[in-house]
């Protein structure tokens, strides 16, 4: 059971309300004016606050306010943060960060990057010629000088590792693709811009300079970002990093300042551009980010790497199984909130007579009051239950001890569900309303793309299972079916119906952490015994804890305070995924195996589905 969300009675038709409910960040789920008792039901069963558990997306007005305060370059960096994650998770970047990147690969990279930097310097030169602003020209000139200084770094790297760039005369296709794109943009060969030689007005020339900066800025920001990320990983590392000079260059004050200057220059040159022209810059920025990923991906690796996870997957011999929770792991809003609102919105008013053929239902006012009582009781007793199972002092990890403790939580969850059924609040909900709500349900950014890639990727042959406490599996199935994800197996509780109207009863299948882990183990036991299995579980709350630990790889989405609290007290280690992979890469030597083992008390945390996608599937 989870907590419920509600507001003052709604008079709109049910379908219209449902559309607003699950597809708009301005819906009544997110309004600030709520009944007094709402505060007590705004903590979900994982013990999270509203902002922590719901991950509410900002409204359009809020986004506009942010846009007015943040420059164009910063907005693009935030918008395309997914690409920065994929760049960081490339095999090349992970091996470089770990320090065990083979020297042959690094030499090849330095040679390719040298070609790239020469094109970068030339692009700055062309941008300087186009810029009509007297203030912009010296800034661009300074940035070009910085690039030439960076080329001198390459010369020092060449000497240090005895690389003869003259002998590396083959430029790979990814390098050519990026340099051609960059120089074409700097020459004015961009959609919507007049051809070179016809840039008659200062404004047209400045526009080309802006486009050029749009294609260059993401590269500067990405390297500044990666440099800092890699440097942060070295803080607790006593060993010297073989590529420290590379890291030092991109974390230096001068390079970080150059990245900022490039962004400020893009903002300045874009001030007078139209919305259509800004859209062109956005496309150029995005294209540059993708080309950077391709550049990293194209570097030849002469060693085993821990990413992407599926690189060595052989569907003939191996079976890959992905398990995931649903509420707040995949979704932005908890499903109980949706079901509660459907029940309240579609309930009769107190002065309406119900037909004899209808199931007797409470009025909307009584229903809302009952939801409030149930939610309050659940929240209070949940906190008490969590307190009662926690050891006084932190203990060493022992799966059996944790399992025994969570059996007490399981008893509590089942009693709470029984109270919901006995109250009758789930009675009379139309199946069509449930399905429409599922179709419009907001999923976290990147969740749908990840699952689509898993089920459609050739030579992967993966099985995907959703294990959920959701009271109504039809809601989950409709959410995935609406996104053409029919191959996903859903394991959840189910409503019972008379015709298409819910009776208020629940077919209980998954009510507790114990039920979940039992279902998890049953699915694995019934899988193909002739194939080696690799299991990944993705979850966000205490209810997922046992499954997360049983899986070969347990990935925690979000920041549930109760999950961290319970796990930590029972000796579970929560490690951010990227540092965890870099550490594993350090241990991954020639001929070794990046073996993943469950039940070792280690869980990996991520801040987005992009990290999961990049780790498991790669670009």
């Amino acid at each position: 059971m989870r907590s419920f969300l509600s507001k003052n009675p709604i008079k709109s038709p049910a379908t219209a309300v449902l559309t607003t409910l699950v597809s708009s960040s301005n819906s009544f789920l997110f309004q600030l004016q709520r009944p007094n008792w709402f505060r007590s039901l705004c903590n979900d069963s994982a013990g999270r606050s509203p902002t922590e558990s719901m991950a509410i997306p900002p409204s359009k007005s809020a986004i506009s306010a942010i846009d007015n305060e943040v420059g164009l370059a910063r907005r693009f960096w935030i918008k395309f943060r997914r690409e920065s994650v994929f760049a960081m998770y490339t095999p090349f970047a992970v091996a470089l960060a770990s320090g065990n990147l083979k020297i042959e690969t690094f030499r090849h990279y330095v040679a390719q990057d040298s070609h790239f930097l020469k094109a970068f310097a030339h692009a700055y030169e062309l941008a300087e010629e186009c810029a009509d602003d007297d203030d912009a020209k010296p800034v661009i000139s300074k940035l070009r000088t910085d690039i030439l200084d960076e080329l001198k770094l390459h010369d020092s790297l060449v000497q240090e590792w005895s690389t003869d760039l003259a002998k590396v005369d083959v430029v790979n296709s990814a390098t050519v693709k990026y340099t051609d794109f960059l120089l074409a943009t700097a020459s004015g060969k961009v959609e919507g811009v007049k051809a070179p030689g016809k840039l008659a007005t200062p404004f047209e020339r400045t526009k080309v300079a802006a486009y050029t900066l749009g294609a260059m800025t993401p590269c500067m920001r990405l390297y500044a970002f990666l440099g800092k990320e890699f440097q942060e990983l070295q803080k607790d590392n006593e060993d010297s990093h073989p590529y420290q000079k590379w890291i030092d260059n991109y974390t230096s004050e001068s390079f970080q300042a150059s990245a900022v200057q490039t962004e400020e220059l893009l903002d300045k040159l874009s001030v007078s551009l139209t919305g259509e022209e800004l859209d062109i810059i956005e496309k150029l920025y995005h294209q540059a980010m993708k080309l950077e990923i391709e550049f990293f991906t194209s570097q030849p690796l002469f060693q085993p790497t821990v990413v992407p996870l599926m690189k060595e997957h052989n569907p003939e011999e191996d079976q890959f199984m992905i398990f995931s929770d649903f509420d707040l792991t995949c979704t932005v809003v908890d499903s109980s909130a949706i079901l509660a609102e459907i029940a309240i919105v579609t309930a009769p008013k107190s002065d309406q007579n119900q037909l004899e053929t209808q199931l007797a239902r409470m009025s909307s006012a009584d229903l809302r009051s009952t939801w409030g009582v149930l939610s309050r009781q659940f929240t209070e007793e949940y906190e008490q239950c969590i307190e009662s199972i926690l050891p006084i002092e932190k203990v060493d990890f022992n799966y059996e001890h944790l399992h025994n403790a969570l059996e007490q939580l399981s008893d509590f969850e089942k009693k709470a569900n029984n109270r919901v059924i006995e109250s009758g609040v789930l009675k009379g909900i139309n199946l069509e309303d449930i399905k429409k709500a599922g179709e419009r349900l907001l999923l976290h950014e990147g969740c749908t793309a990840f699952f689509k890639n898993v089920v459609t990727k050739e030579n992967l042959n993966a099985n995907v299972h959703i294990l959920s406490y959701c009271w109504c599996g039809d809601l989950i199935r409709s959410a995935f079916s609406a996104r053409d994800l029919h191959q996903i197996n859903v394991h959840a509780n189910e409503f019972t119906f008379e015709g298409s109207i819910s009776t208020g009863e629940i077919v209980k299948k998954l009510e507790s952490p114990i039920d979940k882990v039992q279902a998890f183990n049953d699915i694995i036991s019934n899988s193909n015994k002739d194939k080696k299995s690799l299991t990944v579980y993705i979850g966000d709350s205490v209810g997922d804890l046992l499954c997360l630990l049983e899986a070969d790889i347990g990935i925690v989405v979000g920041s549930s305070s109760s999950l961290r609290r319970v796990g930590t007290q029972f000796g579970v280690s929560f490690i951010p995924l990227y540092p965890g992979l870099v550490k594993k890469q350090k241990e991954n030597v020639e001929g070794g195996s990046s073996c993943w083992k469950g039940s070792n008390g280690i869980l990996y945390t991520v801040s987005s589905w992009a990290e999961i996608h990049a780790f498991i599937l790669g670009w």
Side-chain angles (χ1 to χ4, degrees):
M1 175 182 172
R2 301 266 193 167
S3 63
F4 321 110
L5 299 175
S6 53
K7 72 169 288 289
N8 297 327
I10 301 296
K11 299 180 180 180
S12 307
T15 302
V17 170
L18 290 172
T19 302
T20 305
L21 168 66
V22 292
S23 64
S24 171
S25 57
N26 290 319
S27 74
F28 50 77
L29 279 176
F30 310 125
Q31 291 181 11
L32 297 178
Q33 298 301 320
R34 300 181 172 110
N36 291 332
W37 51 261
F38 188 84
R39 291 174 184 162
S40 66
L41 20 142
C42 274
N43 291 316
D44 74 346
S45 64
R48 291 165 287 202
S49 66
T51 54
E52 183 182 10
S53 65
M54 293 177 61
I56 300 173
S59 65
K60 289 182 180 179
S61 59
I63 292 175
S64 297
I66 293 172
D67 287 351
N68 290 333
E69 294 179 5
V70 179
L72 188 73
R74 183 61 182 168
R75 295 207 305 271
F76 289 165
W77 175 250
I78 294 171
K79 182 171 184 177
F80 300 119
R81 63 191 180 279
R82 174 181 181 272
E83 279 69 19
S84 67
V85 169
F86 276 88
M88 188 168 66
Y89 274 81
T90 56
F92 169 77
V94 171
L96 177 59
S98 75
N100 74 355
L101 181 71
K102 292 287 186 181
I103 187 62
E104 295 89 344
T105 300
F106 190 74
R107 285 171 178 163
H108 182 274
Y109 159 75
V110 169
Q112 297 301 315
D113 202 35
S114 183
H115 289 289
F116 174 75
L117 288 174
K118 289 174 183 176
F120 221 69
H122 186 40
Y124 271 133
E125 185 178 6
L126 293 174
E128 184 181 356
E129 292 175 0
C130 285
D132 187 55
D133 191 302
D134 290 338
D135 294 330
K137 281 183 177 292
V139 175
I140 297 176
S141 178
K142 170 63 168 59
L143 290 170
R144 180 172 179 272
T145 301
D146 291 342
I147 291 298
L148 295 176
D149 289 340
E150 191 176 343
L151 274 168
K152 293 178 182 178
L153 167 70
H154 279 65
D155 292 339
S156 67
L157 294 177
V158 167
Q159 294 173 8
E160 186 171 339
W161 282 291
S162 303
T163 303
D164 187 351
L165 295 183
K167 293 182 180 179
V168 188
D169 55 358
V170 178
V171 184
N172 70 30
S173 59
T175 305
V176 172
K177 191 174 179 181
Y178 201 151
T179 55
D180 284 354
F181 158 76
L182 185 58
L183 294 177
T185 302
S187 300
K189 298 176 183 177
V190 179
E191 181 182 354
V193 179
K194 291 183 179 181
K198 297 182 180 180
L199 301 173
T201 67
F203 175 74
E204 288 173 338
R205 295 172 63 83
T206 298
K207 186 164 59 176
V208 172
Y211 290 162
T212 303
L213 267 294
M216 301 173 78
T217 300
C219 174
M220 297 291 290
R221 175 48 55 199
L222 180 62
Y223 271 77
F225 165 73
L226 291 176
K228 283 192 171 182
E229 289 292 319
F230 293 175
Q231 184 69 11
E232 188 68 24
L233 294 171
Q234 305 309 311
K235 282 188 175 180
D236 299 322
N237 186 12
E238 297 179 358
D239 300 327
S240 60
H241 197 290
Y243 305 114
Q244 190 62 49
K245 186 176 291 186
W246 185 94
I247 295 174
D248 289 343
N249 176 66
Y250 293 111
T251 55
S252 65
E253 290 185 8
S254 59
F255 186 86
Q256 294 288 325
S258 292
V260 172
Q261 278 187 311
T262 307
E263 291 173 323
E264 291 176 344
L265 188 58
L266 174 60
D267 293 343
K268 181 179 180 63
L269 294 173
S270 304
V271 168
S272 59
L273 299 188
T274 65
E276 183 178 351
E277 290 159 348
L278 293 177
D279 287 342
I280 293 174
I281 294 181
E282 180 176 326
K283 290 176 182 177
L284 292 169
Y285 191 106
H286 192 200
Q287 179 66 8
M289 288 287 283
K290 291 188 289 186
L291 288 171
E292 279 288 358
I293 300 171
E294 291 180 22
F295 178 70
F296 286 157
T297 304
S298 70
Q299 304 308 314
L301 272 294
F302 304 98
Q303 64 192 104
T305 58
V306 297
V307 291
L309 182 64
M310 288 295 95
K311 68 184 184 305
E312 297 176 358
H313 175 70
N314 182 350
E316 298 299 323
E317 300 177 2
D318 312 324
Q319 58 180 351
F320 179 43
M321 307 178 75
I322 294 181
F323 297 82
S324 177
D325 175 48
F326 184 67
D327 288 323
L328 303 178
T329 296
C330 296
T331 68
V332 172
V333 181
D334 195 289
S335 66
S336 60
I338 300 297
L339 295 170
E341 287 295 346
I342 295 174
I344 292 169
V345 168
T346 60
K349 296 180 181 178
S350 57
D351 58 350
Q352 287 180 330
N353 294 321
Q354 300 180 50
L355 300 176
E356 291 183 4
T357 56
Q358 291 179 331
L359 289 168
R361 301 182 66 189
M362 286 184 278
S363 69
S364 58
D366 289 342
L367 188 53
R368 186 174 300 282
S369 175
T370 303
W371 278 120
V373 172
L374 289 169
S375 298
R376 242 186 343 263
Q377 185 177 0
F378 179 87
T379 301
E380 293 170 0
E381 293 183 3
Y382 178 85
E383 293 298 331
Q384 294 171 6
C385 185
I386 290 294
E387 286 294 332
S388 69
I389 67 174
L390 289 176
I392 298 176
E393 295 182 357
K394 180 179 177 181
V395 299
D396 293 334
F397 175 70
N398 183 299
Y399 180 84
E400 291 303 319
H401 291 168
L402 177 60
H403 189 284
N404 293 337
L406 290 180
E407 286 180 354
Q408 299 176 48
L409 182 63
S410 296
D411 293 338
F412 161 77
E413 294 275 12
K414 291 178 180 181
K415 289 177 182 177
N417 278 342
N418 285 335
R419 285 199 297 266
V420 171
I421 294 171
E422 291 166 2
S423 72
V425 293
L426 299 177
K427 186 185 298 184
I429 302 178
N430 193 301
L431 178 60
E432 278 305 304
D433 286 339
I434 293 171
K435 289 182 177 179
K436 288 175 182 176
E439 291 169 1
R440 296 171 173 84
L441 194 58
L442 284 173
L443 301 187
H444 284 300
E445 182 181 0
C447 176
T448 300
F450 170 70
F451 283 126
K452 278 194 173 182
N453 273 272
V454 168
V455 300
T456 61
K457 198 173 184 67
E458 294 182 8
N459 300 322
L460 189 56
N461 194 24
N463 294 317
V464 180
H465 298 269
I466 301 296
L467 304 183
S468 175
Y469 285 174
C470 179
W471 290 323
C472 184
D474 288 303
L475 184 75
I476 301 175
R477 285 186 286 272
S478 64
F480 287 123
S481 295
R483 295 162 174 83
D484 296 323
L485 289 168
H486 307 283
Q487 305 94 323
I488 292 180
N489 303 286
V490 175
H491 310 267
N493 304 300
E494 303 288 350
F495 276 179
T496 62
F497 295 92
E498 286 185 8
S500 61
I501 305 299
S502 66
T503 65
E505 295 291 325
I506 298 174
V507 179
K508 302 171 184 176
K509 296 182 179 180
L510 297 177
E511 298 184 271
S512 68
I514 307 302
D515 290 346
K516 268 197 174 185
V517 77
Q518 183 63 55
F520 174 88
N521 288 324
D522 287 346
I523 292 168
I524 295 175
S525 297
N526 294 327
S527 61
N528 192 334
K529 300 294 191 302
D530 297 328
K531 293 185 176 183
K532 296 181 296 182
S533 65
L534 177 64
T535 59
V536 175
Y537 189 95
I538 306 162
D540 75 298
S541 70
V542 173
D544 300 307
L545 193 48
L546 296 177
C547 291
L548 286 163
L549 292 165
E550 281 277 19
D552 294 316
I553 304 171
I555 301 177
V556 177
V557 177
S559 55
S560 164
S561 58
S562 58
L563 170 61
R564 298 293 186 112
R565 188 178 174 202
V566 172
T568 300
Q569 283 300 103
F570 279 95
V572 176
S573 299
F574 295 90
I575 301 175
L577 179 58
Y578 192 75
L581 291 175
V582 170
K583 180 181 179 182
K584 207 167 185 66
Q585 181 63 41
K586 288 180 182 178
E587 301 165 353
N588 197 359
V589 296
E590 195 71 43
S593 173
S594 56
C595 183
W596 298 91
K597 295 180 180 179
S599 300
N600 61 358
I602 296 176
L603 300 180
Y604 296 96
T605 63
V606 298
S607 59
S608 70
W609 277 86
E611 285 192 76
I612 299 173
H613 192 149
F615 163 49
I616 295 176
L617 302 177
W619 178 245

